[in-house]
Amino acid sequence: MTGNTQILRILIQHPRLDAAAAPAFRDEMAGTFANRPERVLLDLGQVEFIDSTGLGVLVSLMKQMGPGGRIAVVGANAAVRRLFQITRLDTLFVICDTEEQADATLG
């Protein structure tokens, strides 16, 4: 993980980002987002399931970044991608197929 001027890379190692796991994930990220990173690459490759609580934590992280903060999501499986689309959070988060695409998008 890196600071404000670079892309902060975060690998979520929870297979489920749901009501049971989301509070622990939020606590893990508290210190990381205290520095208000501007660009974050969020790797969801190990996340098999996410629910509204997990999405709420991701939105909360985005809000902590402040104006101009951007999060690119990579590695999301089809079900997770669909949830981002259904909730229209794909308009808030940049959903990318590869890390290279995310790097280019976050520039």
Side-chain angles (χ1 to χ4, degrees):
M1 292 185 255
T2 57
N4 277 349
T5 59
Q6 297 180 354
I7 298 172
L8 175 66
R9 297 172 185 277
I10 298 173
L11 171 64
I12 298 180
Q13 297 179 323
H14 299 276
R16 297 179 63 89
L17 198 52
D18 56 13
F25 174 68
R26 181 182 55 240
D27 293 345
E28 288 173 26
M29 294 294 103
T32 301
F33 278 76
N35 294 330
R36 297 176 63 108
E38 294 176 1
R39 298 175 294 161
V40 174
L41 187 152
L42 195 59
D43 187 337
L44 300 183
Q46 295 182 25
V47 177
E48 299 167 5
F49 176 82
I50 189 167
D51 69 4
S52 60
T53 307
L55 288 176
V57 171
L58 298 181
V59 170
S60 173
L61 295 177
M62 174 71 86
K63 288 180 179 180
Q64 289 178 32
M65 294 172 71
R70 296 189 306 164
I71 296 179
V73 173
V74 298
N77 67 32
V80 171
R81 279 180 177 252
R82 184 73 181 130
L83 187 59
F84 273 91
Q85 292 168 343
I86 289 170
T87 59
R88 298 189 41 86
L89 288 176
D90 59 339
T91 62
L92 180 62
F93 297 88
V94 180
I95 311 298
C96 299
D97 293 323
T98 66
E99 285 193 32
E100 292 78 18
Q101 182 186 16
D103 285 339
T105 299
L106 294 172

